[in-house]
Amino acid sequence: DVVLFRSRPNSAISLQAELGSSNALAQVADKLVEDAVAAFGSLHVLVNNASSFAKTPLLLRDSSSPPPEFDEAVYVSNALAPFLLTRSFARYVQRANKEAASIPDRSVILFGDALVRTSPHKEYSLYCMAKLGAESLAQSASAELAPEGIRVNCVRPGFNSFPIAMPED
């Protein structure tokens, strides 16, 4: 939020990582959590909202389809990366709770998700499958992490499709 950032300098940072490949992704997730803790001294919120979106038709691909190697990026960024980031965050919170000798109820994991359960999209099967996996992860994590004082929520605003050529402004 720009207003919050302006009213509280240094209250936000940008951390970037490549989440579209499964190669060393667990280490990337751990490093993102470590970098956030190093910047702020603690960490209480994780927002899983990164995503890759592209046609992944089950039948023959045409010239408008991305190459097959993009399939991994769709699955990894929508399902595997949220799992590994959630695990890294939860492990950090568990260690912090042990050091504090208490379980504060102040950590939150938020999943931003498309509404694919009731609105699947033709030729986007891999994306829909991965998003349903992320939704299931949110439900499982909610039950598993509640004893650690970690709340897990999944927000499904619906499917957003952007034009291929978006205006620069």
Side-chain angles (χ1 to χ4, degrees):
D1 186 291
V2 174
V3 174
L4 174 63
F5 182 71
R6 287 184 183 156
S7 65
R8 293 178 38 201
N10 302 317
S11 64
I13 60 170
S14 174
L15 298 174
Q16 296 180 359
E18 176 57 48
L19 301 176
S21 169
S22 59
N23 191 20
L25 190 56
Q27 292 83 5
V28 171
D30 288 343
K31 176 116 174 61
L32 283 170
V33 170
E34 290 169 13
D35 289 351
V37 172
F40 292 109
S42 63
L43 185 60
H44 302 284
V45 178
L46 170 66
V47 177
N48 281 310
N49 199 39
S51 181
S52 294
F53 180 77
K55 284 185 176 182
T56 52
L58 296 170
L59 300 175
L60 293 176
R61 295 173 184 268
D62 60 27
S63 61
S64 69
S65 301
E69 53 272 12
F70 194 74
D71 293 357
E72 181 184 14
V74 171
Y75 178 75
V76 169
S77 67
N78 290 295
L80 185 58
F83 169 79
L84 293 171
L85 288 164
T86 297
R87 183 175 68 183
S88 295
F89 176 82
R91 289 176 176 176
Y92 161 75
V93 171
Q94 185 180 50
R95 284 191 309 273
N97 288 347
K98 284 182 181 176
E99 290 172 12
S102 67
I103 299 178
D105 186 22
R106 61 181 186 188
S107 297
V108 177
I109 300 173
L110 177 66
F111 286 81
D113 213 345
L115 189 60
V116 297
R117 177 179 298 283
T118 58
S119 302
H121 303 286
K122 178 183 172 187
E123 296 185 337
Y124 292 86
S125 298
L126 188 58
Y127 174 82
C128 292
M129 181 185 79
K131 285 299 187 181
L132 284 172
E135 179 183 329
S136 182
L137 170 60
Q139 293 170 345
S140 297
S142 179
E144 184 175 348
L145 300 177
E148 295 296 325
I150 303 172
R151 292 185 316 256
V152 180
N153 297 300
C154 186
V155 177
R156 291 181 283 177
F159 180 75
N160 295 303
S161 181
F162 298 101
I164 292 174
M166 292 184 70
E168 296 284 325
D169 56 345

